[in-house]
Amino acid sequence: MVSLSEFNEEYLHTHFIPTTQIGGKNHGFVNLLAFHKRYVILLYRLMPDIVHIHGSYNYLNSRIELWSRKRGFPVVFSPYGGMNPEYIDAEYGMRTWKMILYQKEMTRHASAIQVCDEEEGQYILNEGISRRVSFIEVPADRETSQYQEYADQLVALYHQVLNTESSRHLDINCQEAVSALLHLSMAKETERQPLCAEDILNLRSLSPTQWRKVLLFAREQGVYGQIAEGALRMQLSNAHTDLEDVPRFTPLYPKSKNNLAADVIMSDSKRLLSKLDATVSRQNAAIRSICIMLLNIRWHLSNRSLSLRHLCDFYEALRNLDCDEYQLQQAMSRLGLTKLCGRVCQVLSEVAYLGEGFMPTEAIDDSGTEKIRQRLVNYN
């Protein structure tokens, strides 16, 4: 970070997006499609860590929040008193309709809210609009020291957001490192050379910043132990940073980091349990365990609590449990789990290099598979 006392114009870049009027006439209507296209081009050209939106009750701001968020860019929103209940009451009418139409949704979906008065922040919390509220007071005068403190607090807020949403910030090298380390940690001791030369080279070339992202992601997904085990096998000394106390917000959708249950169905549906008992006897333990794990994966998906920890448990079950493949396929078909299993196998082939020989059914890559990928990182 550059100190404000050393700040000059070379660190500041201004990008202007004209709000082209429809038909070229200045009659107050913005060409939203053209603005959208230009903004997205600029967004991908800059690839910012954070998109910070300043100001309330501007429809274009709400669209910028939506377009950024849908593409995986975290958004910090500063309403500057626009969410203060007294201001909303005083401006009853147009402000109220804007709150209903887009302002509340913008506040709800932002990665964090920076408020400059405590009443505004308390209102957002009390109304349940957002739990990620940070009070950072805007300097009242132009003293450099106050602006430096303000800038430091904003940067700390940005880091807290990035620490919380580590899933969004893995580049391709980090993603491949996670997959390689998961595969290596779950490989049997008898396997020769479980990683290819490209994976080994990638692991040894990661920078400290990239390792930090990998470890934050591992903490979030409940697979820190597997990542640490894989790093130990690879003798990677720079992969043992403890990030347990890194400042983070409470996740919007907390993930379960417990083992994926293989003997108890998470759903309390008696009908589902009866159907399982009628389909797979308790004596057929291996097939019953795999079916229960799939039912629990489906439950975690619907509750947005699915994590890589669960998929890794299922990965190990597929590799280690010995059962009749035909009987397993029949049981999954009767329980309506065949497609789910194929989708999970596809994701596991991507994130942990699960081989086709361990898949009880053919891998499926469709919209349902994409939903699993998205729910793992909670994009939607």
Side-chain angles (χ1 to χ4, degrees):
M1 178 185 168
V2 178
S3 169
L4 292 183
S5 61
E6 304 170 351
F7 188 85
N8 59 56
E9 291 185 359
E10 70 177 280
Y11 300 112
L12 178 65
H13 302 279
T14 301
H15 303 271
F16 175 71
I17 304 177
T19 55
T20 307
Q21 308 296 328
I22 297 176
K25 297 180 180 179
N26 186 17
H27 44 53
F29 292 99
V30 173
N31 188 335
L32 195 61
L33 291 176
F35 184 84
H36 178 201
K37 180 179 179 180
R38 291 170 179 172
Y39 174 74
V40 171
I41 290 173
L42 179 62
L43 184 68
Y44 280 111
R45 194 174 78 203
L46 298 177
M47 292 299 292
D49 293 325
I50 296 282
V51 175
H52 191 157
I53 297 176
H54 301 266
S56 303
Y57 305 106
N58 185 301
Y59 183 72
L60 287 182
N61 280 356
S62 72
R63 298 304 89 189
I64 287 172
E65 187 273 338
L66 176 66
W67 300 332
S68 303
R69 176 169 52 83
K70 288 293 185 181
R71 288 163 177 79
F73 294 89
V75 176
V76 173
F77 172 46
S78 297
Y80 295 122
M83 298 293 288
N84 186 298
E86 292 185 3
Y87 175 76
I88 295 172
D89 291 341
E91 297 287 328
Y92 183 81
M94 185 56 70
R95 297 283 185 245
T96 306
W97 280 109
K98 289 182 177 181
M99 280 283 289
I100 295 172
L101 289 174
Y102 60 83
Q103 186 64 68
K104 189 175 288 186
E105 282 299 299
M106 177 180 172
T107 309
R108 179 177 289 114
H109 291 296
S111 299
I113 311 298
Q114 179 239 328
V115 298
C116 54
D117 74 78
E118 295 181 356
E119 188 176 0
E120 178 180 55
Q122 200 59 50
Y123 169 78
I124 294 172
L125 292 171
N126 292 342
E127 292 294 313
I129 301 173
S130 176
R131 298 194 303 271
R132 298 181 176 184
V133 178
S134 181
F135 174 70
I136 302 177
E137 191 172 7
V138 178
D141 54 43
R142 296 180 178 273
E143 288 186 17
T144 302
S145 60
Q146 288 192 7
Y147 274 100
Q148 183 67 60
E149 182 181 358
Y150 175 63
D152 291 343
Q153 289 177 312
L154 280 180
V155 170
L157 174 61
Y158 298 157
H159 281 301
Q160 190 172 358
V161 170
L162 295 176
N163 292 339
T164 304
E165 302 184 358
S166 56
S167 305
R168 300 174 182 266
H169 310 293
L170 294 182
D171 58 32
I172 186 63
N173 291 335
C174 291
Q175 293 173 14
E176 291 178 353
V178 169
S179 298
L181 291 173
L182 286 177
H183 178 72
L184 182 60
S185 68
M186 295 185 289
K188 294 182 179 179
E189 296 288 344
T190 55
E191 291 187 39
R192 296 182 60 187
Q193 197 175 358
L195 296 183
C196 65
E198 288 81 3
D199 283 328
I200 295 172
L201 182 62
N202 179 56
L203 286 169
R204 298 195 181 282
S205 64
L206 292 186
S207 68
T209 300
Q210 288 175 311
W211 271 118
R212 189 175 187 277
K213 292 179 180 179
V214 167
L215 297 176
L216 280 170
F217 177 75
R219 286 286 187 195
E220 175 189 303
Q221 296 287 337
V223 293
Y224 187 86
Q226 287 92 330
I227 294 296
E229 171 65 21
L232 183 63
R233 290 192 182 187
M234 282 289 297
Q235 299 180 348
L236 299 169
S237 58
N238 56 344
H240 298 287
T241 306
D242 188 4
L243 300 172
E244 184 66 31
D245 297 327
V246 168
R248 281 170 284 194
F249 287 108
T250 302
L252 297 176
Y253 303 100
K255 294 184 176 297
S256 169
K257 299 177 184 178
N258 299 323
N259 291 332
L260 182 66
D263 53 354
V264 178
I265 299 177
M266 301 293 294
S267 171
D268 57 0
S269 171
K270 294 181 179 179
R271 185 184 64 82
L272 186 58
L273 180 59
S274 298
K275 187 174 182 179
L276 176 66
D277 289 337
T279 303
V280 188
S281 67
R282 295 182 183 272
Q283 285 71 32
N284 205 337
I287 292 179
R288 188 178 177 89
S289 293
I290 291 175
C291 289
I292 290 176
M293 294 177 89
L294 282 170
L295 290 170
N296 288 335
I297 286 174
R298 188 167 68 186
W299 183 88
H300 281 295
L301 270 173
S302 64
N303 286 275
R304 304 182 72 122
S305 57
L306 184 70
S307 67
L308 267 182
R309 173 63 179 269
H310 302 140
L311 296 191
C312 287
D313 289 342
F314 187 67
Y315 175 103
E316 293 189 311
L318 291 180
R319 293 199 51 163
N320 299 323
L321 291 179
D322 185 19
C323 63
D324 184 280
E325 188 171 302
Y326 176 75
Q327 291 183 9
L328 175 59
Q329 291 174 351
Q330 291 294 105
M332 291 191 302
S333 177
R334 294 193 189 103
L335 292 168
L337 297 173
T338 303
K339 277 192 173 182
L340 175 62
C341 183
R343 290 162 178 162
V344 171
C345 286
Q346 174 64 35
V347 174
L348 281 174
S349 71
E350 298 166 359
V351 301
Y353 303 157
L354 178 67
E356 291 183 4
F358 295 104
M359 297 181 186
T361 186
E362 186 178 354
I364 301 172
D365 191 1
D366 60 6
S367 59
T369 311
E370 182 61 22
K371 181 179 179 180
I372 296 176
R373 297 188 189 103
Q374 296 293 309
R375 284 295 169 90
L376 275 174
V377 295
N378 287 333
Y379 279 3
N380 297 307

